Amino acid sequence: MQVSKGQSQDQIRVSPVANGETLLIDGQWTASHSSDSFSSINPATGDDLGQVSAGDATDVDAAVLSARTAFDERRWLSMPYPERAKILNSIADRIEAEMDELVVNEVRENGMPVPIAQRTIGGGVQAFRYYAGWLGKIHGQTGEIAAGDAFHAFTLKEPMGVAALIVPWNGPFMLACHKVAPALAAGCTAILKPAEDTSLNTLHLARIALEAGVPAGVLNVVTGLGSIAGQALAEHPDVDKISFTGSTAVGRRLVQASAGNLKRLSLELGGKSPVIVLDDADLEMAIPGVLRGIMINSGQACVAGSRLYAHSKIYDKLVQALSDAASKMVIGNGLDEGVQMGPVISQKQFDRIIGYIESGVSEGAELATGGERHGDTGFFIKPTILSRVPTSARVVREEIFGPVLSAMPFDDLDWAIREANNTRYGLAGAVYTTSLEKAHTVARAVKAGTFWINTPSLTDFWMPFGGYKESGWGREGGAMGVDAYMETKSVIARLY
Ligand code: NAD
């Protein structure tokens, strides 16, 4: 795709949204009642991309009232399901038709290179097509009950009601689609809360949904700070469901904040995914796989394979090859042709990641490559590999969410599996081996919601996605993904 960089001086324009009027309530774009706003910053250049309205508890009240009214009036559910499916498919078509602009915006707001933005926005298209296909396929069961045939017994699947959808900045448009599509397919009304660093491009999704025929009030947007707008959603007594993707620390806060009315919670949280490379692995496959698994999106991927356990027979060769390949990666503005790695999202993340690298070295790791800023503008960090890291080091224990791989050698596979599981996270994992037996043994043994054999980071919409342990509650994707927005009611009727 050819991208015009001339546009990069401009703000992200979401017609008909006026600058700073980024709340969508009952079909109307508006500013927060306080008129407070903040800037969205291009992490590659520092450019100001536009003003984001700082919604607060009063704005959240208005958005929840809008979603509640739309739900109670059955504005969405009263439409026959083929019509709702048509609208979800139309959202997919419209995103596809506007792909080029959405991709450029996503790169400017998040920093990811164009090919990644194309894949992630494409993932948004697929989400709407996939969940549109669920309409007409959501139904309960019927069956005999022990009380006898004087009774007719069946279950009803019903939407939970008002769903708050809180998303992070690392795949902003796609992750919003991953929540809006199943929430609407289930029949819920929703309030979308984008991440403060990446709110603007996501507004296009709400605009497109309105244009495609989603009735006013069915999809609302509250932009603003997580600690204020997000927290108000989590505490709100009239929100029935929260679907959250973000850090484990905030996930834990949501559990507490939502206790008041015992909201249903789906939590897609952090990760510290292990990658085990055995001595029989095909290194031609493992080297690009391990590198891609950690460096994609500058390491800002929840499933990033950030802990490498490599057999000592191939350890030095593998780490050397990974370091050579990492140091050759093309780093730069994601809009530039051939760029493989963009910046990290913000100064805050930049400082945090550099701090982790320094802590790894001070705790005894060898710096194999990277470890420093790239260039002198924007938030670029060179792809970094820390070698022979003590297993107790913070860089092994904590999620860094940056382009940093911690590598450790092993001789005993059982030790590697124990260390792979020696974490509070359980989102994903991978193994590289040519042994079918070992591949499946490791896949069974690693406690993670998704596991890859000889490949990095593949997912599909029908496959449940989510975490074991502190990586989350519940699953997105497939039947479980729709069910996460539904209640099941048992009905028993006396016939005679
Ligand atoms: P974050 O937890 O800081 O923020 C995520 C969202 O929550 C943002 O919209 C933020 O505004 C909001 N928020 C913050 N404080 C809140 C509060 N008190 N109440 C309600 N909402 C609040 O996460 P982040 O830094 O934006 O994203 C990075 C994290 O997301 C990483 O830990 C990463 O692993 C995780 N993540 C997980 C998945 C997954 O599917 N498991 C996918 C992508 C990212």
Side-chain angles (χ1 to χ4, degrees), residues 37-225:
S37 64
F38 53 87
S39 296
S40 185
I41 301 293
N42 182 332
T45 61
D47 285 350
D48 183 344
L49 296 169
Q51 287 298 297
V52 178
S53 202
D56 63 13
T58 305
D59 300 304
V60 164
D61 280 345
V64 174
L65 179 65
S66 161
R68 172 58 58 196
T69 307
F71 187 77
D72 290 347
E73 290 179 357
R74 298 178 68 79
R75 286 185 207 162
W76 179 233
L77 273 184
S78 63
M79 287 184 179
Y81 81 76
E83 212 173 305
R84 276 178 278 144
K86 201 169 158 191
I87 289 173
L88 295 186
N89 274 315
S90 168
I91 295 175
D93 294 344
R94 286 161 191 263
I95 296 173
E96 205 162 43
E98 296 186 23
M99 180 67 80
D100 287 358
E101 185 188 348
L102 295 172
V103 163
V104 173
N105 286 344
E106 196 78 341
V107 174
R108 289 159 69 211
E109 207 173 17
N110 166 277
M112 62 179 72
V114 163
I116 301 180
Q118 286 169 324
R119 274 203 301 282
T120 61
I121 307 279
V125 173
Q126 287 163 23
F128 278 97
R129 295 223 168 103
Y130 176 80
Y131 287 106
W134 269 96
L135 275 290
K137 302 183 186 74
I138 299 169
H139 40 68
Q141 296 172 311
T142 183
E144 193 184 350
I145 61 169
D149 73 351
F151 299 93
H152 174 50
F154 59 95
T155 59
L156 288 174
K157 302 295 283 185
E158 298 179 338
M160 282 177 178
V162 173
L165 313 174
I166 304 178
V167 293
W169 45 260
N170 66 321
F173 192 92
M174 176 185 76
L175 293 171
C177 294
H178 283 190
K179 295 198 187 299
V180 173
L184 294 186
C188 287
T189 59
I191 301 132
L192 176 63
K193 158 62 187 88
E196 37 275 70
D197 287 318
T198 54
S199 296
L200 293 176
N201 200 30
T202 309
L203 302 179
H204 278 293
L205 172 60
R207 172 189 58 78
I208 286 171
L210 283 180
E211 289 169 2
V214 171
V218 171
L219 177 61
N220 305 274
V221 178
V222 175
T223 53
L225 302 182

Side-chain angles (χ1 to χ4, degrees), residues 378-395:
F379 314 122
F380 294 94
I381 296 178
K382 290 184 180 169
T384 298
I385 299 179
L386 297 170
S387 178
R388 300 187 182 278
V389 189
T391 55
S392 58
R394 281 179 60 217
V395 289

Side-chain angles (χ1 to χ4, degrees), residues 167 169 193 196 226 230-231 244-247 268-270 302 399 401:
V167 293
W169 45 260
K193 158 62 187 88
E196 37 275 70
Q231 185 79 17
F244 171 78
T245 299
S247 62
E268 296 289 340
L269 306 178
C302 52
E399 184 183 43
F401 221 55

